[in-house]
């Protein structure tokens, strides 16, 4: 079974040479080499490396460096700027960059990201994604109505919903009703141009490891979306303050709620299909 983590973030320490835009509550550094070592320890064959917007904004140069150093282990995704009128050129250049598998936009309720789904900048990005054959990773947690409207406005665009579409905590504990948006997530499954990342799910648990209370709501996700449209991932390192890498991986590997074939689809097969990318160990 090939295991692919659909969302990880690697980054260097905060230095004047490559300064962070903001300082989140993440480890001081998890470099590409450190990420690969952690993946090897847990038997993770490859990962989709999302360039961290909180630190690097639209600069994905570190992701490119890491992919170049470990070309078979990472497919890379960069955030793109809806306010950039030349975003089509940016996406075209990204398409020519070795190892790239997608682009990312964010429409949350955070200041500066609370965009109207009809925003012309978002439309430009969606058109560019179709033109250059990229899926659009969409972070719309806490703002699923806007995310759904954007998807409906762009039926030819392939979307990948980040983190179950459900707002996830940055520090423990989980909120009192962590799955409150689940009905909207299930409704979104009717759109056939969308797949969903089952990433960061363990952060929504109100119980300790191995987080047994995640499985009933996840079963509803699997039923609505189909496992071939569900991509497993950890969201390491963003989720590190809530759950460490080992504890985000093992519940999915050891659960009896998945058969061997279902596990293979969820933990690798569906991700390879969505991104049209598979890892190759040296």
């Amino acid at each position: 079974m090939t295991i692919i983590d659909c969302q990880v973030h690697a980054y260097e320490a905060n230095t004047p040479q490559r300064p962070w835009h903001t300082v989140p509550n993440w480890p001081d550094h998890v470099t590409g080499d450190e990420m690969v070592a952690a993946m090897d320890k847990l038997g993770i064959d490859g990962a989709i490396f999302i360039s961290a917007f909180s630190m690097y904004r639209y600069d994905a140069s570190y992701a490119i460096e890491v992919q170049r150093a470990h070309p078979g282990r990472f497919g890379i995704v960069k955030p793109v700027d809806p306010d950039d009128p030349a975003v089509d050129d940016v996406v075209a250049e990204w398409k020519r960059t070795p190892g790239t598998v997608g682009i990312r936009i964010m429409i949350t309720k955070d200041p500066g990201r609370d965009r109207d789904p009809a925003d012309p900048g978002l439309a430009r990005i969606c058109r560019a994604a179709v033109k250059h054959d990229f899926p659009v990773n969409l972070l719309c947690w806490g703002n699923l109505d806007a995310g759904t409207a954007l998807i409906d406005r762009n039926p030819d665009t392939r979307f990948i919903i980040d983190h179950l579409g459900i707002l996830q905590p940055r520090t423990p504990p989980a909120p009192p009703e962590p799955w409150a948006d689940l009905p909207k997530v299930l409704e979104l499954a009717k759109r056939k141009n969308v797949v969903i990342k089952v990433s960061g799910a363990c952060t929504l648990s109100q119980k300790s490891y191995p987080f047994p209370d995640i499985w009933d709501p996840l079963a509803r996700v699997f039923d609505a979306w189909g496992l071939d449209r569900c991509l497993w991932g950890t969201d390491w390192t963003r989720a590190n303050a809530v759950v460490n890498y080992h504890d985000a991986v093992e519940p999915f590997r050891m659960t009896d709620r998945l058969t061997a074939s279902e596990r293979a689809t969820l933990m690798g097969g569906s991700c390879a299909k969505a991104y049209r990318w598979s890892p190759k160990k040296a």
Side-chain angles (χ1 to χ4, degrees):
M1 181 175 92
T2 299
I3 300 179
I4 307 172
D5 190 334
C6 77
Q7 180 132 349
V8 301
H9 304 283
Y11 52 92
E12 293 182 314
N14 190 7
T15 66
Q17 289 71 39
R18 185 176 264 127
W20 297 358
H21 184 271
T22 59
V23 181
N25 62 331
W26 301 7
D28 290 341
H29 54 82
V30 177
T31 64
D33 290 346
E34 291 168 329
M35 180 72 72
V36 168
M39 290 163 58
D40 286 344
K41 185 176 181 180
L42 293 172
I44 308 299
D45 297 292
I48 305 301
F49 174 2
I50 313 293
S51 181
F53 182 78
S54 58
M55 296 171 174
Y56 299 140
R57 285 310 193 250
Y58 301 109
D59 176 11
S61 58
Y62 186 64
I64 293 170
E65 288 180 18
V66 170
Q67 195 282 334
R68 189 178 295 136
H70 304 279
R73 303 302 295 277
F74 296 106
I76 53 177
V77 172
K78 70 170 271 139
V80 291
D81 185 0
D83 293 325
D84 183 356
V87 73
D88 183 83
D89 294 335
V90 172
V91 176
E93 178 63 25
W94 187 241
K95 186 70 175 185
R96 292 190 290 268
T97 304
T100 61
V101 297
I103 56 177
R104 191 187 199 202
I105 57 178
M106 292 151 281
I107 50 170
T108 66
K109 292 185 177 178
D110 300 308
R113 300 191 203 174
D114 189 9
R115 291 180 178 269
D116 188 320
D119 185 311
L122 295 176
R124 277 195 300 268
I125 290 170
C126 291
R127 288 195 301 269
V130 174
K131 178 179 177 181
H132 300 290
D133 194 23
F134 268 146
V136 175
N137 293 248
L138 176 59
L139 181 67
C140 59
W141 60 9
N143 202 21
L144 265 170
D145 291 341
T148 300
L150 178 67
I151 290 163
D152 287 343
R153 292 179 67 90
N154 297 276
D156 295 329
T157 305
R158 291 186 290 134
F159 289 95
I160 300 177
I161 302 297
D162 289 340
H163 310 322
L164 287 157
I166 293 176
L167 189 62
Q168 297 176 2
R170 297 187 180 277
T171 56
E177 296 184 29
W179 300 93
D181 277 346
L182 184 57
K184 294 180 180 180
V185 174
L186 304 181
E187 172 66 23
L188 183 56
K190 296 176 182 177
R191 281 73 175 176
K192 299 305 181 184
N193 60 324
V194 192
V195 301
I196 193 165
K197 290 184 178 180
V198 182
S199 49
C202 296
T203 69
L204 298 172
S205 177
Q206 295 177 322
K207 298 185 180 295
S208 58
Y209 176 86
F211 318 118
D213 56 334
I214 67 173
W215 291 105
D216 285 346
L218 286 184
R220 297 179 65 190
V221 173
F222 300 156
D223 287 345
W225 286 80
L227 278 170
D228 63 335
R229 295 171 63 206
C230 295
L231 288 57
W232 166 83
T234 62
D235 198 20
W236 195 60
T237 51
R238 185 211 64 86
N240 188 72
V242 183
V243 57
N244 65 44
Y245 200 29
H246 170 277
D247 289 1
V249 174
E250 290 305 304
F252 287 84
R253 188 143 44 191
M254 60 191 260
T255 183
D256 60 5
R257 299 285 292 263
L258 297 168
T259 67
S261 63
E262 289 171 340
R263 185 176 290 107
T265 297
L266 178 66
M267 297 188 73
S270 57
C271 188
K273 178 182 174 183
Y275 285 104
R276 301 172 184 170
W277 174 85
S278 295
K280 296 178 179 64
K281 282 194 173 183

